Amino acid sequence: MARVCAGNRRAFSELVWRHQAPVFRICYRVLGNREDAKDAAQESFIRAFKKLDGFEGRSSFKTWLLRLTVNVSLNERTRRKENLPLEDWAPPDFSGDGPEEAAMKAEALARLHKALQALQPNHRAAVVLHDLEGLNFREVGEAVDVAEQTAKSWAYRGRQRLKDLMT
Amino acid sequence: MENEAIEELLQAYAVGDVSEVEAERVEAALDDSPRLREELARYERLFVLLVAAAEEEVKVPRDLRARIVWRVAVTAYLNSAAELAGGLLGAYVRALIYYLRLA
């Protein structure tokens, strides 16, 4: 980190290598498509590079970077604002592993990504970070800059809405 | 009021994130309510989907890192140039950076 803060671009390149997967995943899951996610992931790292002086080490670098990523993705989402309609749908049983089940599973996941876009931004961020990225609620709270209990409540509301949209 | 509390516990119950006492409260309510049992089944289906989504591989674009590193290099270079140029020319370079979305 010291080398990165001193402006060493090679060290920053190593940081990009280390964190690009979670950053891109979060952008993709918040924004719902790869092209927008690619732009948002780039923007997140550029902002991180510019703001490195402001990183005080009170949280881990990863949490700090994820906070920037969530902000960039949610702002981008607000800017675009379009919400795709969800058609009537019955959840499939994809307990088997044949090609038919794989197709149903892919369809179900595509629908879940679509339903995520219909959630309030804060609720979506909490569900993505906790349920899909595996952060605990303390880490989610740090990433979205709220108390742990608030992060928990956002995830609860998000899942409640997802349940109504998906099942 | 009790119903509301049970509804709130239902999600946590579906993933096993409740105390023994809370689990007993939920189970007693489930025994008496087909609607709550249906709600529980819906949450269970949702959590199956969320687990599948969490396990889904999201491939990072191959050129992502190269693009970021390039933009960082350009940003650093142009910012240094703007600082050196100073004054009006510096403002022009900064406007150019903004316009071209280089930084």
Side-chain angles (χ1 to χ4, degrees), chain A residues 29 34 156 159 163 167, chain B residues 11 39 42 53 56 59:
Chain A
R29 285 164 168 167
R34 290 180 63 84
Y156 170 78
R159 291 163 178 164
K163 181 253 303 169
T167 63
Chain B
Q11 266 190 29
E39 281 293 282
R42 294 175 73 194
E56 186 186 27
K59 283 191 179 155

Side-chain angles (χ1 to χ4, degrees), chain A residues 7-157:
Chain A
N8 183 326
R9 291 205 298 275
R10 181 171 292 180
F12 188 77
S13 172
E14 282 169 27
L15 272 183
V16 174
W17 178 252
R18 200 177 306 159
H19 297 290
Q20 63 175 350
V23 165
F24 181 76
R25 273 203 314 269
I26 288 172
C27 294
Y28 173 69
R29 285 164 168 167
V30 170
L31 289 163
N33 77 72
R34 290 180 63 84
E35 274 313 303
D36 292 345
K38 198 170 165 183
D39 290 345
Q42 283 184 62
E43 187 59 33
S44 304
F45 277 109
I46 301 298
R47 283 200 200 175
F49 183 74
K50 287 181 183 168
K51 291 183 172 183
L52 272 173
D53 289 347
F55 175 62
E56 294 166 348
R58 276 185 292 188
S59 58
S60 72
F61 176 77
K62 185 181 175 186
T63 306
W64 180 78
L65 178 61
L66 294 189
R67 184 183 302 169
L68 286 177
T69 303
V70 169
N71 282 336
V72 169
S73 304
L74 291 180
N75 287 340
E76 187 64 11
R77 182 73 212 162
T78 309
R79 200 172 65 77
R80 292 177 190 268
K81 246 185 167 24
E82 82 278 22
N83 269 327
L84 305 168
L86 283 161
E87 311 80 23
D88 285 343
W89 182 78
D93 168 17
F94 47 74
S95 47
D97 56 2
E100 204 174 316
E101 285 84 359
M104 283 197 296
K105 185 175 177 178
E107 190 198 337
L109 291 178
R111 189 180 166 89
L112 178 67
H113 287 301
K114 213 167 164 185
L116 274 169
Q117 307 309 309
L119 302 188
Q120 281 185 34
N122 293 340
H123 301 173
R124 179 166 64 243
V127 170
V128 165
L129 292 173
H130 180 73
D131 293 332
L132 304 187
E133 286 299 314
L135 271 63
N136 62 41
F137 282 118
R138 184 182 56 75
E139 292 167 325
V140 176
E142 281 177 12
V144 291
D145 219 7
V146 295
E148 183 176 341
Q149 200 51 40
T150 306
K152 210 169 181 175
S153 158
W154 286 354
Y156 170 78
R157 300 285 166 215

Side-chain angles (χ1 to χ4, degrees), chain B residues 42-63:
Chain B
R42 294 175 73 194
Y43 273 124
E44 284 169 344
R45 288 198 290 269
L46 174 64
F47 283 118
V48 168
L49 276 174
L50 286 170
V51 168
E55 288 169 351
E56 186 186 27
E57 189 186 5
V58 179
K59 283 191 179 155
V60 176
R62 280 188 188 172
D63 60 344

Side-chain angles (χ1 to χ4, degrees), chain B residues 5-77:
Chain B
I6 294 294
E7 295 252 11
E8 285 201 24
L9 279 175
L10 215 50
Q11 266 190 29
Y13 180 83
V15 287
D17 188 21
V18 286
S19 69
E20 209 172 310
V21 176
E22 288 169 333
E24 281 171 11
R25 271 175 65 200
V26 173
E27 281 157 15
L30 286 171
D31 283 343
D32 295 337
S33 168
R35 191 190 64 78
L36 275 183
R37 288 199 292 277
E38 174 55 25
E39 281 293 282
L40 177 62
R42 294 175 73 194
Y43 273 124
E44 284 169 344
R45 288 198 290 269
L46 174 64
F47 283 118
V48 168
L49 276 174
L50 286 170
V51 168
E55 288 169 351
E56 186 186 27
E57 189 186 5
V58 179
K59 283 191 179 155
V60 176
R62 280 188 188 172
D63 60 344
L64 181 63
R65 185 191 186 194
R67 279 169 175 254
I68 292 164
V69 171
W70 181 81
R71 278 190 61 186
V72 163
V74 171
T75 301
Y77 177 77

